[in-house]
RNA sequence: GCGCCUGUAGCUCAGCUGGAUAGAGCGCCGGACUUCGAAUCCGUAGGUCGCAGGUUCGAAUCCUGCCAGGCGCGCCA
């Protein structure tokens, strides 16, 4: 049984084809009007066609409506033309309720689809340097990337979640050196701590750990060896901490990809060779340059410095070549917005590697502006002044934290005030949604105490669901699959929380106006059936966000 | 100087890619618990959609120019 929206969509497609056979590349958009006087669904397609057909929109609307009336689909109560040429559809209420049995029978699968057609997508996110604990900004990237992956999976894509570890290079040396210097301090030596070193307390803690294990042993080693030991130790401990934090944040990666492995395998060298063979590399001032301007970048970029060292960008190209060779149909990179200047060159590289630049989608996540009581909190890894993701999770909880991140477009700046998130936690949008779920669970408990079980196999008399609010809820439930789809195709997780809010607000209102459990057995059965459908959609939607659906709060 | 992002109610943000009277939450004010959970509901107030032009039947949405905030612009990573 196709959903009403689908049927209207198809009907309109046919109607448009019928009015004018000259290859119109317009697909009519079906929307839900803001006010109910405008029907359950509406389309502005007649206005969209005016330019092409050079006819009055109302005339076009009339011929579309004529076509529709000739078909006279059984779900349609009436169709009318309004305003400048809107076509408004009024649906019979019993037609709407056909979605309920579908939701009940599909259960946790309701909302999933096959639009992805098994396409293979990689989502690379977080990828924070293992030089310190994750901070709040990484948390936002983690929430967005993970939710996106869940949404894409729900739409029939095969998804791989990957974390790229920058485990080599100058920063790693500085990390090793930072720990080593702290270690020397613990051993009573006076050291000067350079400005570019990591000053966080966690560095001191790591040095202490090494001291507890090794005593003054490292002091006797040549500095280079000792630093290397410190680096290995610190890197491993920090990365383990990152994994732990992410796991607690309900983010699990399928693969942790090491930058160092690209150096070891010679892939970076091979990548540069490949580009050179294709004429995209030239030498200048003793360095090797990638001709990214040939693909729209504003200037060419160095890949091998005059001292012979490859740049970070060179490794990044090799990394993306590696991704491309793994056969992904689409590659999604989620970056902090401070890296926006790298999009053009990365897309240029992908194209130079013989692929399509459209295969790479870069989602920029704006940095989080962390506040406490309205005052900005300093955030600098180097200076060691930052609030870690773990601290935020401990303070406001995983559910609230993820929800706050996911309720905004990723490219909008985000003020995250810890005091507000904490103090107003009972007014936090996530609880509004979770409360509806808990409330429903409670209703079912009461129902079962009264011996009003819920029989999944038996469909009650749904024509009893005639209240405006019931129709509205049913209609919204029917929208869920489209919301998930649009969220996937636009790569915008925030559509889910906004949908949830609409649905839940409608449900709470309904709950306050009508009793689900009453003396009328048939009506109770029908309403419990509706309630169960709501509960399923709430669970499924929250699950896409990685937010829990508690039975009690 | 150049580039990217943002500018919508007092605050935090949506606005389905050009459609009908621009919407939520928080906050303010006023109501609703002897009845399935009041973390809820119902109602009031609050707007020159940063500014100015342009495109057309129609603009918060598209194009141009300004203004403001954030972030980038290295043979750093």
């Amino acid at each position: 049984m196709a959903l009403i929206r689908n049927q209207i969509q198809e009907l309109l497609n046919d109607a448009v084809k019928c009015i004018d056979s000259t290859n119109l590349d317009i697909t009519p958009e079906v929307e839900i009007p803001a006010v109910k006087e405008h029907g359950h669904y509406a389309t502005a397609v007649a206005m969209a066609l005016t330019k092409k057909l050079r006819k009055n929109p109302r005339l076009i609307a009339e011929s579309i409506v004529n076509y529709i009336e000739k078909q006279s689909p059984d779900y349609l109560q009436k169709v009318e033309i309004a305003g400048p040429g809107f076509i408004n559809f009024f649906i019979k209420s019993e037609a709407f309720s056909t979605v309920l049995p579908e939701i009940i029978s599909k259960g946790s699968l309701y909302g999933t689809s096959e639009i992805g057609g098994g396409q293979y997508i990689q989502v690379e996110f977080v990828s924070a340097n293992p030089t310190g604990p994750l901070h709040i900004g990484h948390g936002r990237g983690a929430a967005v990337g993970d939710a996106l992956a869940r949404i894409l999976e729900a739409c029939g894509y095969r998804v791989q979640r990957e974390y790229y570890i920058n485990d080599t290079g100058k920063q790693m040396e500085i990390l090793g050196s930072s720990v080593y210097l702290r270690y020397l301090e613990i051993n009573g030596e006076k050291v000067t701590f350079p400005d570019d070193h990591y000053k966080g307390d966690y560095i001191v803690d790591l040095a202490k750990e090494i001291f507890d294990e090794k005593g003054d042993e490292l002091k006797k080693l040549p500095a280079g060896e000792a630093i290397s030991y410190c680096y290995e130790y610190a890197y491993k401990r920090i990365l383990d901490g990152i994994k732990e934090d992410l796991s607690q944040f309900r983010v699990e990666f399928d693969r942790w990809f090491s930058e160092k492995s690209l150096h070891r395998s010679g892939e970076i060298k091979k990548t540069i060779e490949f580009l050179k063979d294709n004429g995209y590399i030239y030498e200048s001032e003793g360095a090797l340059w990638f001709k990214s301007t040939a693909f729209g970048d504003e200037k060419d970029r160095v890949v091998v410095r005059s001292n012979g060292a490859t740049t970070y960008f060179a490794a990044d190209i090799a990394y993306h070549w590696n991704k491309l060779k793994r056969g992904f149909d689409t590659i999604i990179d989620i970056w902090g917005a401070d890296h926006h200047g790298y999009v053009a060159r990365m897309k240029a590289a992908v194209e130079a590697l013989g692929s399509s630049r459209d295969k790479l989608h870069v989602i920029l996540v704006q940095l989080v502006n962390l506040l406490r009581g309205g005052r900005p909190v300093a955030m600098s890894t180097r200076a060691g002044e930052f609030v870690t993701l773990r601290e935020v999770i401990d303070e406001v909880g995983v559910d609230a934290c993820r929800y706050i991140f996911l309720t905004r477009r990723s490219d909008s700046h985000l003020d995250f005030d810890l005091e507000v998130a904490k103090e107003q936690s009972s007014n936090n949008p996530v609880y509004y949604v979770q409360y509806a779920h808990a409330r429903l669970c409670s209703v079912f408990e009461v129902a079962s105490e009264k011996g009003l079980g819920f029989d999944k196999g038996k469909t009650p008399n749904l024509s009893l669901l005639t209240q405006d609010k019931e129709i509205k809820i049913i209609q919204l439930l029917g929208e869920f699959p489209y919301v998930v789809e649009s969220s996937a195709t636009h790569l915008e997780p925030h559509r889910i929380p906004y949908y949830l809010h609409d649905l839940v607000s409608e449900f709470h209102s309904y709950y306050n106006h009508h009793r689900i459990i009453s003396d009328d057995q048939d009506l109770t059965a029908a309403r419990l059936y509706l309630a169960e459908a709501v509960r399923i959609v709430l669970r499924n939607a929250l699950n896409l966000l990685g937010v829990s659906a508690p039975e009690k709060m």
Side-chain angles (χ1 to χ4, degrees):
Chain A
M1 178 68 198
L3 299 177
I4 300 293
R5 191 196 188 102
N6 260 347
Q7 298 195 38
I8 291 175
Q9 182 77 57
E10 278 169 32
L11 190 63
L12 280 170
N13 288 349
D14 293 345
V16 167
K17 252 183 250 162
C18 189
I19 319 176
D20 193 306
S21 48
T22 60
N23 202 15
L24 295 166
D25 54 350
I26 287 180
T27 44
E29 294 213 2
V30 179
E31 57 181 30
I32 298 180
V35 290
K36 64 180 179 184
E37 287 72 30
H38 295 151
H40 298 105
Y41 292 100
T43 181
V45 69
M47 277 103 86
L49 285 171
T50 47
K51 265 172 215 155
K52 280 210 140 163
L53 299 180
R54 295 170 162 228
K55 273 201 272 187
N56 183 309
R58 283 197 74 106
L59 283 176
I60 298 171
E62 268 173 40
S63 40
I64 291 176
V65 166
N66 275 342
Y67 176 88
I68 289 169
E69 278 173 347
K70 233 182 281 169
Q71 306 293 314
S72 68
D74 53 5
Y75 55 82
L76 200 61
Q77 190 180 48
K78 64 170 172 174
V79 54
E80 49 181 45
I81 301 169
F86 289 99
I87 302 173
N88 297 335
F89 296 85
F90 295 80
I91 309 300
K92 291 180 187 162
S93 52
E94 62 265 31
F96 266 124
S97 58
T98 56
V99 73
L100 295 180
E102 181 172 326
I103 296 172
I104 303 291
S105 70
K106 281 193 173 167
S108 62
L109 290 178
Y110 180 69
T112 63
S113 69
E114 291 304 322
I115 59 164
Q119 277 190 68
Y120 197 20
I121 295 196
Q122 189 206 44
V123 184
E124 182 223 318
F125 59 113
V126 188
S127 300
N129 290 340
T131 55
L134 296 177
H135 58 66
I136 187 74
H138 298 128
R140 188 177 187 185
V144 169
D146 183 60
L148 202 54
R150 289 168 189 252
I151 290 163
L152 290 168
E153 277 169 345
C155 289
Y157 295 90
R158 284 170 61 215
V159 179
Q160 189 196 46
R161 296 164 170 83
E162 184 158 297
Y163 187 118
Y164 181 59
I165 315 168
N166 299 118
D167 51 0
T168 179
K170 194 169 149 194
Q171 290 181 87
M172 291 295 111
E173 286 167 29
I174 293 176
L175 173 66
S177 172
S178 302
V179 174
Y180 179 62
L181 290 176
R182 292 302 189 206
Y183 168 84
L184 290 180
E185 274 181 350
I186 292 166
N187 279 276
E189 288 194 22
K190 222 178 159 64
V191 299
T192 48
F193 206 75
D195 266 355
D196 64 351
H197 278 40
Y198 298 106
K199 295 195 177 71
D201 291 340
Y202 64 96
I203 297 288
V204 179
D205 294 341
L206 288 167
K208 273 183 199 151
E209 286 180 27
I210 292 175
F211 180 75
D212 289 344
E213 243 177 67
K214 297 275 178 182
D216 63 352
E217 225 175 281
L218 259 59
K219 237 172 88 176
K220 298 166 193 160
L221 293 175
E225 241 173 85
I227 288 173
S228 163
Y229 178 88
C230 287
Y231 155 70
E232 289 293 344
Y233 185 90
Y235 157 77
K236 198 180 167 308
R237 292 278 286 118
I238 291 173
L239 192 61
D240 283 348
I242 287 175
K243 288 182 181 179
E244 251 180 69
D245 290 354
L246 287 170
S247 176
Q248 198 192 340
F249 202 48
R250 300 183 199 131
V251 177
E252 303 289 342
F253 285 90
D254 300 304
R255 184 163 175 180
W256 299 76
F257 193 101
S258 153
E259 179 190 356
K260 203 185 270 176
S261 75
L262 290 170
H263 288 83
R264 284 206 186 116
S265 66
E267 281 174 85
I268 296 179
K269 226 175 145 185
K270 278 184 220 158
T271 305
I272 293 168
E273 285 302 317
F274 178 84
L275 291 174
K276 192 184 277 176
D277 292 345
N278 286 279
Y280 301 133
I281 298 283
Y282 63 91
E283 198 180 331
S284 175
E285 301 163 62
L288 290 185
W289 297 71
F290 166 52
K291 216 173 177 173
S292 53
T293 48
F295 305 97
D297 195 9
E298 57 182 1
K299 58 187 192 181
D300 294 339
R301 310 289 174 179
V302 171
V303 285
V304 181
R305 290 184 270 160
S306 52
N307 67 6
T310 52
T311 60
Y312 177 84
F313 181 48
D316 237 2
I317 301 176
Y319 177 42
H320 281 78
W321 201 24
N322 181 292
K323 290 188 188 190
L324 289 169
K325 284 192 287 198
R326 277 188 265 162
F328 296 110
D329 297 296
T330 300
I331 294 167
I332 298 173
D333 287 6
I334 297 180
W335 296 352
D338 51 337
H339 289 80
H340 66 78
Y342 298 79
V343 176
R345 75 187 68 166
M346 206 60 246
K347 284 197 165 236
V350 167
E351 208 172 342
L353 291 167
S355 189
S356 159
R357 64 191 296 118
D358 297 330
K359 215 169 199 180
L360 173 67
H361 293 267
V362 179
I363 295 177
L364 297 172
V365 178
Q366 284 293 341
L367 300 187
V368 178
N369 190 20
L370 194 67
L371 308 169
R372 188 178 279 283
R375 289 216 195 117
V377 178
M379 294 274 285
S380 158
T381 311
R382 282 264 156 79
E385 294 169 2
F386 54 86
V387 178
T388 62
L389 175 61
R390 171 154 309 245
E391 285 166 342
V392 175
I393 292 173
D394 290 346
E395 206 168 323
V396 308
V398 174
D399 284 341
C401 191
R402 286 187 71 125
Y403 207 84
I404 288 170
F405 287 142
L406 295 171
T407 309
R408 283 161 177 87
R409 266 178 24 234
S410 56
D411 58 359
S412 76
H413 299 88
L414 166 56
D415 284 345
F416 193 111
D417 194 314
L418 287 164
E419 292 303 317
V420 172
K422 210 170 51 172
E423 278 172 23
Q424 303 185 336
S425 64
S426 64
N427 291 324
N428 194 307
V430 73
Y431 299 117
Y432 184 66
V433 177
Q434 289 181 321
Y435 181 65
H437 185 266
R439 194 176 226 182
L440 278 164
C441 291
S442 167
V443 169
F444 280 105
E445 223 169 86
V446 172
S448 80
E449 275 165 20
K450 294 189 175 179
L452 299 166
F454 176 77
D455 189 352
K456 194 178 163 181
K458 223 166 87 188
T459 308
N461 182 4
L462 298 177
S463 64
L464 297 172
L465 301 174
T466 54
Q467 299 291 335
D468 278 357
K469 289 181 195 296
E470 286 166 341
I471 301 296
K472 184 72 192 166
I473 290 172
I474 292 169
Q475 188 183 11
L476 280 170
L477 292 173
E479 287 295 305
F480 182 55
Y482 302 101
V483 174
V484 180
E485 262 182 48
S486 76
S487 189
T489 54
H490 291 84
L491 306 177
E492 289 179 348
H494 77 271
R495 296 181 184 218
I496 308 281
Y498 278 95
Y499 166 78
L500 267 174
H501 180 270
D502 283 351
L503 175 63
V504 164
S505 137
E506 204 60 42
F507 167 72
H508 279 312
S509 173
Y510 172 62
Y511 183 89
N512 275 276
H513 286 87
H514 305 283
R515 292 192 57 84
I516 294 173
I517 298 167
S518 66
D519 295 335
D520 185 334
Q521 280 196 12
D522 290 339
L523 185 61
T524 300
R527 288 183 170 175
L528 280 174
Y529 200 81
L530 171 63
E532 175 63 6
V534 172
R535 189 159 66 149
I536 288 169
V537 171
L538 290 186
R539 265 192 217 135
N540 294 357
L542 285 171
N543 187 44
L544 291 176
L545 304 177
V547 174
S548 69
E551 298 189 0
K552 283 189 168 47
M553 292 173 67

